[in-house]
Amino acid sequence: SLEYAADELKSDREFVMAACKIDGNALKYAANEFKSDREIVLTAFQSNSQSKKLSHIRFSLFYETLNLDDVADLFKSDREIVLTAVKSDIRALKVAADEFKSDREIVLNAIL
């Protein structure tokens, strides 16, 4: 996790991207500028989604995972980001834009 990394590394885009590919939760501890970086945000949620699929459990129930509350508000209205986020943690649907709460694909992916 980036939680204990030096601020210099938390501000290094390449390092943060690599960390998010391994564990999307790393974004929670990265410099704030990366929480508005669409590529890094999407990578982080994709990483968590893949981890969930590999483990066959909702690991988000056991520890605090990256959620839409941890990234820039503009991503709560970004369909691709929301879809990817709900695949790793159903709680993403709670803070997503209202339009996605009636989107069949997003809701089904949230409950799978």
Side-chain angles (χ1 to χ4, degrees), residues 15-101:
F15 186 82
V16 169
M17 178 63 88
C20 287
K21 285 180 181 178
I22 296 167
D23 180 2
N25 297 313
L27 184 56
K28 290 179 68 141
Y29 305 103
N32 283 335
E33 66 190 88
F34 300 122
K35 295 172 185 174
S36 298
D37 183 315
R38 189 176 192 284
E39 182 181 12
I40 289 178
V41 169
L42 186 58
T43 297
F45 283 122
Q46 287 172 337
S47 175
N48 280 359
S49 177
Q50 290 302 313
S51 294
K52 177 186 147 189
K53 287 178 185 175
L54 293 174
S55 67
H56 299 289
I57 61 170
R58 281 217 183 247
F59 62 88
S60 62
L61 298 177
F62 299 104
Y63 67 96
E64 192 63 31
T65 59
L66 179 69
N67 198 334
L68 285 175
D69 280 333
D70 299 313
V71 299
D73 285 342
L74 68 106
F75 295 121
K76 294 175 184 175
S77 298
D78 183 313
R79 190 175 191 285
E80 184 178 16
I81 297 285
V82 170
L83 179 59
T84 305
V86 300
K87 288 179 180 179
S88 64
D89 189 344
I90 192 171
R91 294 175 292 184
L93 190 58
K94 180 179 179 182
V95 297
D98 287 340
E99 66 190 90
F100 299 125
K101 294 174 183 175

